[in-house]
Amino acid sequence: RIVEELIRHCPPSQLESFSESLLLDAHALCCHSFGTFVMQHFVAHTSEAFRGRVVRLLGEQAPTIAQSSSGCGVIVEAMQRSSPEEASWLARCIALEHPALLETLAATKHGYGAAITVLEALEEPELSAAQARLLRPTANLGASRHGTMVLQFLEGR
């Protein structure tokens, strides 16, 4: 909580070196049950430049961060707080570079929200390709409560 309050209330000039330190450990923090809250606050209250660096890290490390229940929250926060271009880039990293990852996210308790956020950020033709992949019978999203929510989202689009 103390770190979260520092991030929220300190002026950016005082957080510069602290932010650099956070970025060095960002992968571990994203995947940690308490570190995820620090990273979510960091994404919410940092400069656009640092937020962009977090988005790039999330894209580069998507397979390991997204498979962590804690990491999914950071992905959602980053996509909601970043520019449309950065959110779209991160969505393409997850949906196109690691398509099986999107299926896995869609079927899990902590991942279905991230899957929906990814789908919201995609544009055509990537969105159609991701939808087709998720709607395949082998994706079997209807077998889980969370997958069903993703299917309902897709039907409403």
Side-chain angles (χ1 to χ4, degrees):
R1 287 213 175 266
I2 293 170
V3 174
E4 292 172 17
E5 291 302 313
L6 284 172
I7 291 169
R8 188 177 307 161
H9 297 293
C10 284
S13 60
Q14 291 180 340
L15 288 176
E16 186 83 20
S17 63
F18 178 72
S19 297
E20 290 291 343
S21 297
L22 276 180
L23 288 174
L24 290 174
D25 292 326
H27 183 274
L29 288 168
C30 287
C31 297
H32 188 272
S33 57
F34 296 112
T36 184
F37 298 114
V38 171
M39 289 306 296
Q40 288 177 39
H41 271 79
F42 181 66
V43 167
H45 299 285
T46 194
S47 68
E48 284 184 40
F50 279 113
R51 189 175 301 116
R53 289 174 63 186
V54 172
V55 167
R56 284 188 295 282
L57 173 114
L58 293 171
E60 292 165 1
Q61 302 293 322
T64 55
I65 292 174
Q67 289 182 1
S68 158
S69 59
S70 300
C72 290
V74 180
I75 289 172
V76 170
E77 188 72 25
M79 291 185 71
Q80 291 174 343
R81 300 279 186 163
S82 63
S83 69
E85 295 80 19
E86 289 174 329
S88 178
W89 178 83
L90 182 52
R92 287 192 310 274
C93 284
I94 293 170
L96 302 177
E97 293 179 27
H98 309 285
L101 180 59
L102 183 60
E103 290 179 37
T104 302
L105 288 173
T108 62
K109 177 180 179 181
H110 297 286
Y112 82 94
I116 289 173
T117 304
V118 165
L119 292 168
E120 288 173 333
L122 289 174
E123 297 176 5
E124 294 300 336
E126 293 92 357
L127 176 59
S128 293
Q131 285 178 323
R133 186 167 178 89
L134 290 173
L135 293 172
R136 292 180 321 176
T138 55
N140 205 21
L141 291 183
S144 75
R145 181 176 85 203
H146 305 98
T148 302
M149 288 189 249
V150 172
L151 290 174
Q152 289 171 347
F153 170 79
L154 289 173
E155 291 170 3
R157 285 196 73 117

